[in-house]
Amino acid sequence: MKKYFIILTIGAITLLSQTTSATHTTENESFPLQEVIQDNRSIEQTEKKETDIVKQTKQISTKKQEKKQEKTSSSSSNTKKTSEIKETTVQPQQEESVIQKSSSIFNDKQTTLIQTTFVKLINQTRQNPVVISSRLYSSASLRAKEANHKWSHTRPNGSRWNTTLTSIINIKTTPHGENLAKTTINYKNEYTDDEIIHIVTTMHQQLINSSTHYQVMTNQNYKKVNIGIYTQIKDNQVIVIIAQHFTA
């Protein structure tokens, strides 16, 4: 078993990497994308026919109308109360969603562009290509966030970084590696695709300029990868942290 560990600062980009090579590997598995099937069922509405039997007096008609208005008013009041209850129930979930999305200033399209650009550059560097594994997204994203609090392969809770992979692979037998990198850019309300690609290209170049990070990136045992991204705004600047997770 070989372990590589390095902390390297080049210009405005800080790098950190570690890889673990195992003597035995598990068989390759494919993870198909989950498809959401929407059940479109038509709802047939039946019409009820009303037949007048007798003529009602004005007094009875007036009483029924008043009763109907009272019922409508009561129903409207109940609907309003139900709506208020729903609002108080849904509100915390919306706030939680906002907190989760605040981990990155980039929207979903830009995040995808960052990931695909990194993988494209990684495969241009490697002899055999790696594929994006959706199963590695959660671990890579978590490690990018944790690296903002503790710049190390040791997690904030004191455990090793690869404990984030225990539900995905057997870390004792399956080769796996991690590259961390961070850079600082000027804060803007919006970033163009060209600007994002330039950020990724610069970070990738610094990674391959480091022999240890290059070894992790080009390890031929690795077949899968994903990129986690975390950003933090500080003093009108944005700290961008990425975590690359590789596995066999």
Side-chain angles (χ1 to χ4, degrees):
M1 179 178 291
K2 297 180 180 178
K3 296 182 180 178
Y4 304 95
F5 181 85
I6 187 170
I7 300 177
L8 178 64
T9 302
I10 306 177
I13 298 179
T14 306
L15 311 174
L16 191 66
S17 72
Q18 189 172 52
T19 182
T20 301
S21 300
T23 55
H24 303 286
T25 60
T26 56
E27 294 181 358
N28 293 332
E29 297 179 358
S30 60
F31 306 101
L33 296 176
Q34 295 179 349
E35 297 181 356
V36 178
I37 302 175
Q38 185 174 1
D39 187 8
N40 296 319
R41 296 180 179 177
S42 60
I43 302 175
E44 299 180 354
Q45 298 179 343
T46 58
E47 298 181 353
K48 294 182 180 181
K49 297 181 180 180
E50 298 181 352
T51 306
D52 292 334
I53 301 175
V54 290
K55 232 181 193 184
Q56 298 179 339
T57 63
K58 291 183 180 180
Q59 185 178 1
I60 296 175
S61 177
T62 303
K63 287 183 179 180
K64 282 194 172 185
Q65 187 175 2
E66 290 175 353
K67 187 176 181 181
K68 186 176 180 181
Q69 288 176 350
E70 290 175 359
K71 186 177 180 181
T72 303
S73 176
S74 176
S75 176
S76 176
S77 176
N78 290 336
T79 301
K80 185 176 180 181
K81 289 180 180 179
T82 304
S83 177
E84 290 174 353
I85 293 174
K86 286 184 178 180
E87 287 178 1
T88 57
T89 303
V90 173
Q91 188 62 25
Q93 295 178 354
Q94 291 175 345
E95 290 177 356
E96 182 181 355
S97 176
V98 171
I99 293 173
Q100 291 173 348
K101 290 182 180 180
S102 67
S103 62
S104 178
I105 63 169
F106 304 115
N107 58 38
D108 292 343
K109 180 182 176 182
Q110 292 171 327
T111 298
T112 300
L113 177 61
I114 292 172
Q115 293 169 328
T116 54
T117 303
F118 260 119
V119 174
K120 179 181 178 181
L121 294 172
I122 289 170
N123 283 334
Q124 289 176 355
T125 307
R126 293 173 56 89
Q127 292 183 359
N128 61 324
V130 290
V131 296
I132 297 179
S133 170
S134 59
R135 287 168 63 92
L136 293 176
Y137 177 72
S138 59
S139 63
S141 298
L142 177 58
R143 287 294 299 133
K145 183 177 181 179
E146 290 181 343
N148 182 57
H149 300 286
K150 184 175 183 178
W151 188 246
S152 170
H153 288 299
T154 301
R155 302 178 62 189
N157 63 7
S159 62
R160 293 190 61 198
W161 73 271
N162 58 2
T163 56
T164 60
L165 298 172
T166 53
S167 63
I168 304 172
I169 63 170
N170 186 334
I171 61 175
K172 293 182 179 180
T173 60
T174 304
H176 51 281
E178 174 181 81
N179 274 344
L180 297 176
K182 66 179 176 180
T183 188
T184 302
I185 60 177
N186 292 328
Y187 174 76
K188 294 175 58 178
N189 290 328
E190 293 184 5
Y191 296 89
T192 66
D193 288 354
D194 287 342
E195 288 173 330
I196 290 176
I197 292 173
H198 176 73
I199 293 169
V200 174
T201 303
T202 302
M203 296 181 78
H204 174 77
Q205 187 61 46
Q206 299 297 344
L207 282 166
I208 63 176
N209 285 345
S210 162
S211 60
T212 307
H213 296 83
Y214 180 82
Q215 288 177 17
V216 174
M217 195 181 301
T218 59
N219 189 317
Q220 298 304 303
N221 290 321
Y222 300 150
K223 303 294 186 297
K224 303 167 187 174
V225 69
N226 212 320
I227 315 296
I229 306 160
Y230 185 84
T231 60
Q232 182 183 34
I233 302 174
K234 187 176 181 180
D235 299 330
N236 206 34
Q237 290 188 319
V238 181
I239 300 173
V240 181
I241 300 175
I242 65 99
Q244 298 177 342
H245 275 191
F246 297 86
T247 66

